Amino acid sequence: MPGAKTIGWDLGGVHVKAALVEDGRVVAAAQVPCPLWQGIAALDGSLAALPDWARGAAQHAVTMTGELTDCFADRREGVAALSGWADTHLAGGVRIYAGRSGLVAPEAAAAVFADVASANWHATAALAGRHAPDALLIDIGSTTADLIPIVHGHPAATGYSDAERLETGELVYTGIVRTPVIALADHAPFAGRRTRLMTETFAHMADVYRILGLLPEGADQQASGDRKGKSVPESETRLARIVGRDRGEGTPEAWALLAAYFAEAQLRLLHDAAATLLSRPELAPGAPLIVCGAGAFLGPRLAERLGREAVRLVSLLHDRIAGEPDWISTCGPAVAVGLIASEDAFA
């Protein structure tokens, strides 16, 4: 109906993402930090930090990953708490995305918590399947990467929960911002030698991609490893510590080579997971990669290695997008639940 407004939400343990859908088109999307591990009141601050439209009256569709945060005893408690917060604090009707169980009322979410918990990947894949019936969706975020086969227009993951998808390779716990570089290797080449690494969280992948000039604007919304600044020299200082050095012991070129090594190690993780999934017999030969997330810039490199076409999710949705494409890509699950919940998404 004319003037219909829906806001899609992705309530995470580190970020909150929101997407505004008006008359079936995504007109805005935003992401703000959320230190949910400090308690559910952190969501109040995140809501206040979002643009004014996020606090306006609308129909709301909510997906989540924050139920895993360690302020909750278990996922059931987390789903109930996040659903209750949404019902109380969002202006208008609220529905919770329960993946294979559809959209449910907030008070019913705890009863199907296993379907609600971390089902944001399912929303993105369900939306993508409406536009690309056979593909591999790759959503590379700040913390994790989801790799979801789409077969005949539907999500075809063999795992559903995070635990299951870790086993199947459909969830790769690596991202372009928050992953410590020591999660990717225990040795690295530097100054002509292969050196062991210090097993400390001195540097993260945000430092790597900042040094390489690839980090998207606004993607890094968390504190750095040393709680200092986010210039290239400061990232070089943090990366140098991983090999037991001071920044002055290397040149910018040397630190860029070291950063490139960790970037390659991360790409190999994604390549191996994607290659395994693409070998599934039910996936059509030549099925493209649909890429989204803050790390969508890795999509073309990954596709080239796999001999596949890379298609940005925002390109598939071009007729449903009126806002800034990069932020819409970053906020993929929020966009997806917003469009799915909007009756125009089914037109």
Side-chain angles (χ1 to χ4, degrees), residues 14-15 140-145 171-185 200-209 215 219-220 222-225 238-239 242 262-263 265-267 269-270 298:
V14 179
H15 300 104
I140 306 169
S142 64
T143 307
T144 62
L171 171 60
V172 181
Y173 222 92
T174 193
I176 66 152
V177 175
R178 299 184 63 241
T179 300
V181 298
I182 56 165
L184 297 166
E200 301 282 355
T201 54
F202 291 134
H204 295 76
M205 291 307 290
D207 294 308
V208 164
Y209 290 117
L215 188 67
D220 183 9
Q222 304 301 316
S224 62
R238 289 188 285 270
L239 191 63
I242 290 294
F262 290 112
Q266 185 173 65
L267 196 64
L269 279 180
L270 297 172
L298 295 176

Side-chain angles (χ1 to χ4, degrees), residues 7 56 59 73 113 115 160 180 182 236 254 265 268 305 315 319:
I7 300 176
Q59 293 299 308
F113 78 93
D115 290 346
Y160 189 90
I182 56 165
E236 291 173 345
R268 280 201 304 271
R305 293 170 71 129
S315 298
D319 61 338

